[in-house]
């Protein structure tokens, strides 16, 4: 498919992405669809690239650079389901039989798909989040949940007399039964038992039944909570489901959410682990009134509005520069109340007292400098309030230790708020932005292989004969004196590891 940029996800405007968009005729949904779709590979146009292909196979659009395959295969529409599949374990939320990518790393990175395993059938899959299709709001289950991307999606299902007991999407056990999360991404065919993280349901939910024209115990809301460590390993999986009673032959709006939470490190017996350098992509940890939590950026709800819900905030990851924006609206006519609400949106409940310089059970800490808005105590809502509109988190870091094995350490951080005068109540939504930038300050040493310089001198007293070893100095020896003449001749023939080879001529 020429415009299928994201496998397993519906690309808006891609007329041939029929499988992922759950519609065999996207021409009625997207405009400008060609009569015949072709297969190829696309990249975004702004990327720098070279293509050693036939120019007739290249297509350039407003945003894409596409290369068509030489031998096109006819597009095949996916066969429609004539009936509901037999009820199985975790049928829709994590379909089975998906091709797993073999990663060379032993941790999840941001936007990686979450791998799953079914203990009853020994089949691997991906954790997927039902979402609305492109053409209609009806649910389809090809949208993969991605690591550190907490999202909430709503879609519609039809509840009929047949689907009430036959559709696995309406049954609670289908979303978690016999399913485990895989601790770290792996392409091995045999998965060790310690890599499997069981999904723990918060309750026991009954199966749907038909009763008096209603379908009882239908899944209305699914919340999946995935715990992870700062290293990028999964620690636990929790699922909570809300049920509802729906009249037959009616539409049901389902809500599916996946939330990622940084798991608190478990205490280990014996001596605490020594601090080690930070890994790229690990969460930056701060200390807030004695409690350790990851630094987070502002949260955005559906529609782009700012959210004060802590679950919508995304963690600040080491060396990952980010910028996030949202719109803030409030009818409040009190400057102090407006300011406190915006501070909470930008930085969370509070700015950290200190942040961890490294990782480990007992890390080293460095201070955080916070620059807030200067407030006029006489300000009035009518004349304007001094409100923060952006937050810039500036983190200084450097590599320390041996060059063969450098350790990444954070040196300090600043929370800089930019403010402006705004009249209230707000006549239009206020745009808020949060930015995090990591600045490397490593000073790398010069290798000890430079040529000798003019200011280099041979150190007197090198042979430990005292401070009197000077040219022409008379040294008493018994009853007579001897004149000692030292002539130093240094030949810069070879320098090795900072030590020189010298030739010394002595005239006694």
């Amino acid at each position: 498919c020429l415009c299928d940029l994201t496998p397993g996800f519906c690309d808006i405007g891609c007329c041939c992405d029929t499988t992922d968009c759950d519609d065999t005729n996207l021409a009625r949904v997207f405009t400008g669809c060609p009569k015949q779709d072709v297969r190829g590979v696309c990249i975004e146009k702004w990327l720098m690239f070279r293509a050693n292909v036939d120019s007739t196979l290249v297509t350039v659009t407003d945003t894409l650079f596409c290369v068509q395959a030489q031998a096109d295969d006819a597009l095949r529409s996916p066969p429609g389901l004539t009936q509901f599949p037999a009820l199985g374990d975790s049928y829709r939320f994590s379909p089975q039989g998906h091709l797993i990518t073999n990663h060379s790393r032993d941790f999840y990175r941001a936007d990686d798909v979450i791998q799953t395993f079914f203990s009853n059938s020994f089949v691997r899959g991906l954790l997927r989040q039902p979402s609305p299709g492109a053409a209609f709001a009806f649910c389809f289950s090809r949208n993969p949940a991605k690591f550190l991307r907490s999202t909430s999606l709503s879609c519609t299902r039809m509840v009929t007399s047949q689907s009430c007991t036959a559709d696995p999407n309406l049954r609670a056990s289908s979303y978690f039964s016999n399913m485990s999360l895989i601790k770290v991404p792996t392409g091995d065919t045999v998965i060790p038992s310690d890599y499997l993280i069981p999904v723990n349901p918060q309750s026991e939910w009954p199966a749907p039944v038909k009763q008096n024209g209603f379908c009882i115990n239908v899944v209305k809301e699914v919340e999946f909570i995935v715990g992870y460590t700062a290293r990028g390993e999964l620690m636990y999986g929790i699922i909570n489901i809300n049920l509802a009673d729906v009249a037959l032959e009616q539409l049901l709006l389902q809500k599916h959410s996946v939330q990622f939470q940084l798991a608190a490190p478990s205490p280990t017996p014996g001596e605490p682990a020594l601090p080690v350098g930070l890994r790229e992509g690990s969460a930056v940890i701060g200390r807030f009134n004695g409690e350790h939590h990851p630094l987070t950026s502002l949260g955005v709800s559906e529609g782009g509005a700012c959210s004060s819900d802590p679950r919508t905030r995304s963690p600040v990851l080491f060396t990952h520069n980010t910028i996030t924006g949202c719109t803030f609206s409030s009818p409040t006519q009190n400057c102090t109340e407006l300011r406190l609400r915006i501070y909470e949106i930008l930085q969370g409940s509070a700015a950290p007292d200190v942040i961890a310089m490294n990782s480990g059970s007992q890390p080293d800490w460095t201070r955080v400098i916070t620059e807030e808005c200067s407030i006029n105590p006489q300000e009035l809502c009518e004349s304007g309030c001094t409100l923060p509109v952006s937050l810039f988190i500036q983190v200084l870091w450097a590599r320390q230790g041996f060059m063969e094995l450098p350790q990444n350490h954070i040196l300090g951080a600043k929370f800089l708020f930019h403010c402006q005068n705004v009249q209230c109540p707000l006549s239009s939504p206020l745009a808020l932005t949060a930015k995090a930038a990591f600045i490397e300050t490593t000073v790398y040493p010069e290798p000890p292989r430079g040529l000798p310089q003019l200011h280099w001198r041979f150190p007197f007293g090198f042979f430990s004969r005292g401070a009197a070893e000077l040219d022409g100095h008379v040294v008493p020896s018994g009853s007579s004196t001897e004149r000692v003449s030292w002539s130093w001749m240094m030949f810069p023939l070879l320098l090795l590891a900072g030590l020189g080879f010298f030739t010394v001529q002595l005239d006694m």
Side-chain angles (χ1 to χ4, degrees):
C1 178
L2 185 63
C3 54
D4 188 4
L5 293 178
T6 313
F9 189 81
C10 177
D11 292 301
I12 302 301
C14 181
C15 304
C16 60
D17 198 6
T18 55
T19 302
D20 296 333
C21 294
D22 202 34
D23 194 325
T24 57
N25 185 15
L26 290 173
R28 57 186 178 183
V29 182
F30 303 140
T31 59
C33 290
K35 294 183 179 180
Q36 181 180 5
D37 295 322
V38 293
R39 294 182 179 271
V41 177
C42 295
I43 62 174
E44 295 189 34
K45 185 179 177 181
W46 61 267
L47 293 173
M48 300 293 292
F49 57 85
R50 287 184 178 181
N52 185 19
V53 296
D54 186 354
S55 59
T56 60
L57 301 177
V58 176
T59 303
V60 181
T61 67
D62 293 338
T63 58
L64 299 178
F65 176 87
C66 303
V67 179
Q68 178 183 344
Q70 293 185 356
D72 295 337
D73 297 327
L75 282 174
R76 300 177 181 178
S77 300
L81 293 177
T82 57
Q83 61 181 3
F84 292 107
L87 285 175
D89 296 334
S90 306
Y91 162 68
R92 281 288 185 178
F93 205 69
S94 186
Q96 305 171 3
H98 189 88
L99 180 62
I100 302 298
T101 302
N102 185 6
H103 297 291
S104 59
R105 58 184 182 274
D106 57 349
F107 60 92
Y108 282 101
R109 193 170 56 184
D111 283 340
D112 280 347
V113 294
I114 306 300
Q115 299 183 9
T116 58
F117 181 78
F118 299 93
S119 58
N120 61 335
S121 57
F122 299 97
V123 176
R124 299 171 59 176
L126 297 179
L127 181 62
R128 296 183 181 267
Q129 184 179 15
S131 59
F136 308 101
F138 286 98
C139 299
F140 73 107
S141 303
R142 299 187 180 92
N143 182 33
K146 296 184 177 181
F147 185 58
L148 295 184
R149 299 296 179 184
S150 298
T151 56
S152 180
L153 301 173
S154 298
C155 54
T156 304
R157 298 196 189 276
M158 187 68 183
V159 181
T160 64
S161 177
Q162 178 188 6
S163 67
C164 176
T165 55
D167 189 353
N169 300 289
L170 305 179
R171 183 181 183 183
S173 60
S174 298
Y175 292 89
F176 62 88
S177 181
N178 296 312
M179 184 175 71
S180 298
L181 306 180
I182 299 181
K183 185 177 182 179
V184 294
T186 176
D188 298 338
T189 55
V190 179
I191 304 176
S193 58
D194 56 345
Y195 271 41
L196 300 180
I197 309 297
V199 176
N200 298 319
Q202 294 295 90
S203 180
E204 294 184 2
W205 299 284
V209 293
K210 290 185 291 184
Q211 182 178 335
N212 299 328
F214 281 82
C215 188
I216 312 298
N217 302 325
V218 175
V219 172
K220 181 175 178 61
E221 183 175 353
V222 179
E223 182 183 26
F224 219 106
I225 300 176
V226 180
Y228 66 96
T229 66
R231 191 180 181 275
E233 299 177 346
L234 303 187
M235 288 294 293
Y236 57 82
I238 300 175
I239 188 170
N240 190 27
I241 297 177
N242 293 330
L243 304 180
D245 299 338
V246 182
L248 297 177
E249 310 303 328
Q250 295 292 329
L251 295 177
L252 168 67
L253 182 65
Q254 279 188 345
K255 181 179 180 181
H256 300 271
S257 61
V258 178
Q259 306 294 332
F260 291 90
Q261 294 182 352
L262 183 65
S266 57
T268 56
E271 297 183 359
L274 296 177
V276 295
L278 295 169
R279 297 172 61 96
E280 294 187 7
S282 62
V284 179
I285 305 299
R287 189 167 64 195
F288 303 81
N289 297 324
E291 297 184 358
H292 302 172
H293 300 289
L295 268 63
T296 56
S297 183
L298 61 81
V300 183
S301 62
E302 296 181 6
C306 299
S307 173
S308 57
D309 187 354
R311 296 180 300 178
T312 62
R313 300 180 65 86
S314 56
V316 176
L317 305 179
F318 181 63
T319 69
H320 287 198
N321 298 333
T322 60
I323 183 170
T324 311
C326 62
T327 56
F328 173 77
S329 301
S330 175
T332 304
Q333 302 186 29
N334 184 287
C335 292
T336 303
E337 183 178 347
L338 271 177
R339 191 161 38 246
L340 291 177
R341 288 189 59 187
I342 295 178
Y343 271 126
E344 183 180 3
I345 290 174
L346 290 175
Q347 70 180 8
S349 58
D353 306 319
V354 292
I355 63 174
M357 300 178 65
N358 40 31
S359 61
S361 58
Q362 292 186 351
D364 301 317
W365 300 92
T366 183
R367 67 172 182 160
V368 176
I369 300 176
T370 304
E371 293 185 7
E372 297 184 349
C373 304
S374 299
I375 303 172
N376 182 5
Q378 305 298 328
E379 67 179 357
L380 297 175
C381 192
E382 295 78 9
S383 59
C385 308
T386 302
L387 301 178
V389 294
S390 66
L391 168 62
F392 180 26
I393 303 177
Q394 188 179 38
V395 182
L396 302 180
W397 69 281
R399 292 184 172 94
Q400 299 181 4
F402 296 103
M403 296 184 66
E404 293 80 3
L405 188 63
Q407 299 290 307
N408 300 329
H409 284 67
I410 290 178
L411 306 180
K414 285 185 178 180
F415 274 53
L416 305 178
F417 292 92
H418 175 69
C419 310
Q420 68 182 36
N421 190 271
V422 181
Q423 291 184 343
C424 63
L426 301 177
S427 58
S428 60
L430 186 64
L432 304 181
T433 57
K435 178 182 177 183
F438 291 82
I439 303 173
E440 183 182 3
T441 60
T442 306
V443 178
Y444 293 92
E446 295 182 2
R449 297 182 179 87
L451 295 177
Q453 305 297 319
L454 293 176
H455 63 276
W456 289 4
R457 295 182 179 179
F458 188 85
F460 288 110
F462 184 81
F463 295 103
S464 304
R465 292 189 60 181
E469 295 174 344
L470 297 176
D471 284 348
H473 191 77
V474 178
V475 180
S477 177
S479 59
S480 62
T481 60
E482 297 179 358
R483 182 176 179 84
V484 181
S485 176
W486 301 85
S487 296
W488 305 92
M489 301 177 62
M490 181 175 71
F491 297 91
L493 300 179
L494 177 63
L495 289 177
L496 180 61
L499 297 178
F501 287 81
F502 305 96
T503 300
V504 180
Q505 177 180 338
L506 303 179
D507 295 332
M508 303 295 293

